[in-house]
Amino acid sequence: TVSRCGMVYTEPRSLGVDVLLHSWLESLPPSIGAAMRATLQHHFDLYVPGTLYFLRRYLAEPVPTVDNQLVRSMFNILDTFFEPFVEREDRDPPTAERVAALASDLPALFMFSMVWSVCASVNEEGRKRLDAFLRTEMSSLGFSQPFPDAGYVYDYCWSAPLGADEGAARSWTPWMETVEPYEYPAKAEFAELIIPTKDSVRYKFLARRLILNHSYVLMSGPTGTGKTVNIQQMLSSEMPEKWTPISLTFSAQTSANQTQDLIDGKMDKRQRGKFGPPVGTYFVLFVDDLNM
């Protein structure tokens, strides 16, 4: 259909995902050269269409998705790794060594991003089947940086050892080895203890990277699995100082006007008709229980 504004609307299935890839490749910073773009295109063609077909044909999703959004989510995660290579006035251009290190890490970063987007929307049984499917595909296609044999592909992060220098070599690292060992606070009450687990570490890692890169995040899951607690902990103590959280608790009685008034009340007036957070800072809107 064509709207009065001249926009053409198509079904996501009719649009396909290749156009998203080509558009995204054109938006990458200049330091991501033709060779790296070709590597991304090659891995996309090898792994994404087959994985999407396997997902739609054999697996179930607790929250339904469309292929276009899963692919867009993969690009959002990859963008968090490419952001340091975007040229800005307040920092030096990336060095040739850093670009070369990114090029060597590119296959693993692509696979990590695909695991936590295209492969992340299924249930527990679906993850087991996708793990077996991906390992078979990587083995048959000669993937250069395969996951370790132990556990699932969801159990690893492409990361340097904890405490290593920025230029240290990266490898597939279990999630619990990417954070400091938990130390029990002697004076804390039992109800105040938040013990990090593999799930909380990896979901906070992904949410933090996406938020700091100005991407929207939706966390879904059954009641009582710690979504609110973990997000509140991340926003209150694990974000840079210039990021200020605003919590919005939705209920059946919450109206659009109440939501707008609450947000407007936190803003500073910049100029006539223009409002925003204090200069040099960002607001993060945390909506608790979007179902309401």
Side-chain angles (χ1 to χ4, degrees), residues 198-230:
K198 178 174 62 179
D199 285 327
S200 66
V201 169
R202 59 192 180 186
Y203 293 136
K204 286 196 293 183
F205 173 89
L206 292 163
R208 183 167 55 250
R209 288 196 71 93
L210 288 166
I211 292 171
L212 292 178
N213 204 45
H214 306 277
S215 293
Y216 303 110
V217 179
L218 172 64
M219 294 196 73
S220 62
T223 302
T225 51
K227 300 185 298 296
T228 299
V229 169
N230 282 299

Side-chain angles (χ1 to χ4, degrees), residues 14-15 25 29 45 70 82 115 144 147 191 201 252 256-257 261:
S14 302
L15 183 65
L25 289 174
D45 293 339
L70 292 181
F82 296 156
V115 164
S144 59
F147 289 94
V201 169
N257 287 336
D261 291 342

Side-chain angles (χ1 to χ4, degrees), residues 151-164:
Y152 299 124
V153 296
Y154 303 92
D155 296 338
Y156 297 94
C157 174
W158 185 254
S159 171
L162 187 63

Side-chain angles (χ1 to χ4, degrees), residues 56-67:
R56 300 301 174 205
R57 181 70 176 83
Y58 300 107
L59 307 179
E61 295 177 306
V63 179
T65 63
V66 294
D67 292 352

Side-chain angles (χ1 to χ4, degrees), residues 12-252:
R13 187 172 299 178
S14 302
L15 183 65
V17 296
D18 288 337
V19 291
L20 300 179
L21 172 67
H22 297 150
S23 176
W24 176 71
L25 289 174
E26 290 294 326
S27 70
L28 294 178
S31 54
I32 311 297
M36 282 193 279
R37 295 174 195 233
T39 298
L40 291 167
Q41 171 92 55
H42 175 69
H43 283 80
F44 186 95
D45 293 339
L46 282 181
Y47 295 103
V48 173
T51 304
L52 286 172
Y53 175 80
F54 184 81
L55 167 66
R56 300 301 174 205
R57 181 70 176 83
Y58 300 107
L59 307 179
E61 295 177 306
V63 179
T65 63
V66 294
D67 292 352
N68 304 57
Q69 186 52 51
L70 292 181
V71 170
R72 181 64 250 179
S73 296
M74 180 177 71
F75 296 156
N76 287 343
I77 297 175
L78 278 168
D79 283 338
T80 68
F81 296 107
F82 296 156
E83 195 281 331
F85 297 86
V86 176
E87 295 183 6
R88 294 197 326 222
E89 294 182 357
D90 59 344
R91 65 186 178 198
D92 296 330
T95 62
E97 291 78 9
R98 289 186 64 197
V99 174
L102 175 66
S104 66
D105 288 343
L106 206 54
L109 294 177
F110 176 89
M111 190 57 65
F112 174 84
S113 301
M114 192 181 85
V115 164
W116 288 106
S117 54
V118 176
C119 305
S121 61
V122 295
N123 55 21
E124 188 66 26
E125 179 60 28
R127 288 193 174 189
K128 294 178 183 178
R129 298 184 65 180
L130 269 176
D131 171 81
F133 174 81
L134 275 182
R135 289 180 184 276
T136 302
E137 290 289 292
M138 288 188 288
S139 176
S140 63
L141 296 172
F143 187 69
S144 59
Q145 295 161 326
F147 289 94
D149 293 335
Y152 299 124
V153 296
Y154 303 92
D155 296 338
Y156 297 94
C157 174
W158 185 254
S159 171
L162 187 63
D165 296 334
E166 184 178 346
R170 299 173 183 270
S171 61
W172 292 115
T173 306
W175 283 106
M176 295 307 293
E177 295 181 15
T178 65
V179 295
E180 297 287 349
Y182 179 73
E183 295 185 4
Y184 171 74
K187 297 183 179 180
E189 296 290 336
F190 176 79
E192 299 172 351
L193 297 178
I194 302 177
I195 313 297
T197 65
K198 178 174 62 179
D199 285 327
S200 66
V201 169
R202 59 192 180 186
Y203 293 136
K204 286 196 293 183
F205 173 89
L206 292 163
R208 183 167 55 250
R209 288 196 71 93
L210 288 166
I211 292 171
L212 292 178
N213 204 45
H214 306 277
S215 293
Y216 303 110
V217 179
L218 172 64
M219 294 196 73
S220 62
T223 302
T225 51
K227 300 185 298 296
T228 299
V229 169
N230 282 299
I231 289 296
Q232 287 178 338
Q233 182 190 45
M234 181 196 73
L235 293 178
S236 62
S237 61
E238 300 177 15
M239 297 286 285
E241 290 186 2
K242 65 179 182 179
W243 293 79
T244 304
I246 298 178
S247 295
L248 307 174
T249 303
F250 279 13
S251 70

